[in-house]
Amino acid sequence: MSNIKITIQYDGTNYHGWQIQPNRRTIQGELTRVLSLLAHHPVTIYGAGRTDAGVHAEGQVANFFTERDGDIQQLRDAINGNLDRDIRVVRAEPASDAFNARRSAIEKIYRYRICKDEVVSPFVYRYVYHYRARLDTDLMRLAASELIGTHDFTAFTVAHADTEDRVRTLTRLAVDESASEIAIIVAGGGFLRYMVRTIVGTLIDVGRGKRTAASVGETLLTRERSSAGPTAPACGLTLVRVDY
């Protein structure tokens, strides 16, 4: 059996997220279907992160074990030939038997794009959150600094999260602004469900003057989801890369 590592890009608009679900179209489900077809045996694929419905990826990473022999790049091309064009395996490479896309990951980097333009281009509308009201990015940066480091992020996930350990470490939370967009870059070792989008929604509340920057740090201490901001729309979020 060979362990194969793949790097995947996808437009998540038409999918119910990464994780395989019965009677729903997912990224993991599509890859599992194609890989099992090509390998002539059931294949289990392990992903680095479970992106939510509508979230995109430029550098999702996964691995799978297969008995199939042959050129690895031909395998990549065969996978792509059986997928819809909104999912693409951009790289395939051999990995050690010990490699696991999720457990071996050191850091994941996400980017959230907010479009400030009066009109959103049809070439980008799937990948941005259109928010035309002015946002104070200086205040958003001040609020972001409250979240960097190791904290209990219970207030920034769903009330009934699927894990008891809600402590996570953010190594970077940056707010970058250009003429037409605000980009929020989030990096860390792992994330809770909806955590990044809830952080973004909270920072937007700060930027629009609905809450103070200092209140964001206080929200961590409450451990109450109701004290954080709304969950930002999925369309603006992209998994940029996974570092090992």
Side-chain angles (χ1 to χ4, degrees), residues 3 10 13 24 28 41 54 65-66 94 112 146 161 187 192 204 232 238:
N3 192 11
Y10 50 85
T13 304
R24 288 192 167 184
Q28 187 184 35
H41 64 79
F65 288 87
T66 180
Y112 196 95
E146 298 279 333
L192 301 167
I204 289 174
T238 298

Side-chain angles (χ1 to χ4, degrees), residues 7 20 29 40 42 62 64 83 88 185 193 213 221 226:
T7 304
I20 196 166
H40 304 295
F64 61 93
L83 289 169
R88 277 295 173 267
I185 311 299
R193 190 176 186 191
L221 301 178
S226 59

Side-chain angles (χ1 to χ4, degrees), residues 10-41:
Y10 50 85
D11 178 334
T13 304
N14 297 321
Y15 297 89
H16 291 272
W18 165 267
Q19 188 172 8
I20 196 166
Q21 302 176 50
N23 304 316
R24 288 192 167 184
R25 198 159 176 253
T26 68
I27 306 297
Q28 187 184 35
E30 289 298 291
L31 287 166
T32 299
R33 175 185 61 81
V34 170
L35 287 167
S36 298
L37 174 70
L38 295 172
H40 304 295
H41 64 79

Side-chain angles (χ1 to χ4, degrees), residues 109-112 172-176 183-187 196 200 240:
I109 298 93
Y110 285 87
R111 178 182 63 241
Y112 196 95
R172 184 185 179 200
L173 182 53
V175 180
D176 300 328
I184 299 174
I185 311 299
V186 189
V196 174
V200 170
V240 177

Side-chain angles (χ1 to χ4, degrees), residues 16-230:
H16 291 272
W18 165 267
Q19 188 172 8
I20 196 166
Q21 302 176 50
N23 304 316
R24 288 192 167 184
R25 198 159 176 253
T26 68
I27 306 297
Q28 187 184 35
E30 289 298 291
L31 287 166
T32 299
R33 175 185 61 81
V34 170
L35 287 167
S36 298
L37 174 70
L38 295 172
H40 304 295
H41 64 79
V43 170
T44 300
I45 184 165
Y46 306 93
R50 299 176 180 178
T51 53
D52 300 321
V55 175
H56 318 291
E58 293 177 2
Q60 172 72 283
V61 176
N63 74 288
F64 61 93
F65 288 87
T66 180
E67 296 173 358
R68 172 175 167 148
D69 295 321
D71 184 87
I72 199 167
Q73 303 315 321
Q74 288 181 356
L75 175 60
R76 178 203 62 193
D77 294 344
I79 296 169
N80 288 334
N82 285 276
L83 289 169
D84 283 350
R85 295 191 64 84
D86 52 4
I87 308 176
R88 277 295 173 267
V89 174
V90 295
R91 188 161 54 253
E93 55 195 300
S96 71
D97 288 348
F99 176 80
N100 179 279
R102 182 178 63 83
R103 293 195 300 268
S104 302
I106 296 171
E107 188 170 73
K108 299 167 189 152
I109 298 93
Y110 285 87
R111 178 182 63 241
Y112 196 95
R113 297 170 64 187
I114 302 169
C115 178
K116 305 187 298 179
D117 289 340
E118 290 293 316
V119 178
V120 181
S121 165
F123 297 106
V124 301
Y125 82 96
R126 285 175 175 259
Y127 314 110
V128 299
Y129 171 37
H130 189 205
Y131 192 90
R132 293 188 296 177
R134 181 184 175 277
L135 293 172
D136 187 325
T137 50
D138 287 335
L139 287 178
M140 291 171 71
R141 292 185 188 100
L142 188 61
S145 68
E146 298 279 333
L147 298 177
I148 296 173
T150 302
H151 307 283
D152 185 323
F153 281 94
T154 297
F156 291 86
T157 186
V158 292
H160 302 288
D162 56 1
T163 176
E164 293 184 6
D165 181 12
R166 281 93 179 273
V167 175
R168 296 292 185 273
T169 300
L170 293 189
T171 55
R172 184 185 179 200
L173 182 53
V175 180
D176 300 328
E177 186 172 21
S178 65
S180 61
E181 282 190 14
I182 295 171
I184 299 174
I185 311 299
V186 189
F191 299 92
L192 301 167
R193 190 176 186 191
Y194 299 157
M195 177 177 159
V196 174
R197 289 163 56 197
T198 305
I199 288 173
V200 170
T202 305
L203 293 182
I204 289 174
D205 272 359
V206 172
R208 62 196 283 250
K210 188 176 180 180
R211 62 191 300 154
T212 66
S215 73
V216 176
E218 295 165 2
T219 295
L220 284 169
L221 301 178
T222 69
R223 299 184 183 178
E224 295 289 339
R225 175 63 186 89
S226 59
S227 67

